[in-house]
Amino acid sequence: MAIIAPSLLACNFLQLENECIMVNNSEADWFHLDVMDGRFVPNISFGLPVIQQINKVATKPLDVHLMIVEPDQYIDAFKNAGADILSVHAEACIHLHRTVQYIRQQGMKAGVAINPHTSLDCLQYILEDIDLVCLMSVNPGFGGQKFIPHTYTKIKQLRRMIDERNLNVDIEIDGGVTEHNAAELIAAGATVLVAGNTVFSAADPMGMIKKLKNA
Ligand code: DX5
Ligand code: ZN
């Protein structure tokens, strides 16, 4: 069974507490929180104060996805805000190895996210040092986009890289995940499914989470 991580980017922010309670009461495993700075991606979402509030009500791990430049500057701050898993983009980190080491030193799980065009090669010498790879299956910056099909090839190749080395690294798929592609993503080797619009635009979000969980 995959880990299900609803992305609050697609939630009703006027009802943030109730949306968090819904996730708490659902079969979801993590909260996926998308931080965008308007520089790494062409959009701005939410940041530390909002995550601090979510952390007060959330009863499940906070999976924070940083789509920001110079993420090193904010690792302590996101730890203090409540992040349990912290993912940085490989494209945003000059010293990626140093960055993921520091994330782990702060007591968080370390994730590396890569854009749809970024090769798995950049993970070659870092895979042993991280807990999660976030494969972007849309171009980061916006929810509700269409899944990019070449992601399946990437998942299978990454699955092989991880298994060959006997590692325990999660493969998280982020963008365009639906109840229709969830099973195929898991079959290809994904272990974490992020879902924003599929969950929060559903008539029955808890039921949709259940569907994804049982895909
Ligand atoms: C996109 C974000 C995603 C986004 C996914 O940049 O990283 O987490 O919320 O949204 P959906 O599931 O609607 O594609
Ligand atoms: Zn994300």
Side-chain angles (χ1 to χ4, degrees), residues 5-10 32-36 41 65 67 89 134 136-147 173-178 194-199:
S7 166
L8 266 59
L9 189 63
H32 185 82
L33 305 176
D34 291 300
V35 178
M36 306 179 184
V41 288
H65 176 193
M67 284 160 276
H89 266 265
C134 175
M136 291 307 306
S137 39
V138 297
N139 284 295
F142 304 92
Q145 301 181 82
K146 222 173 129 271
F147 180 87
I173 309 306
D174 190 5
V177 172
T178 69
V194 173
N197 279 270
T198 292
V199 166

Side-chain angles (χ1 to χ4, degrees), residues 190-208:
T191 56
V192 184
L193 301 180
V194 173
N197 279 270
T198 292
V199 166
F200 290 99
S201 301
D204 172 15
M206 277 178 74
M208 182 54 72

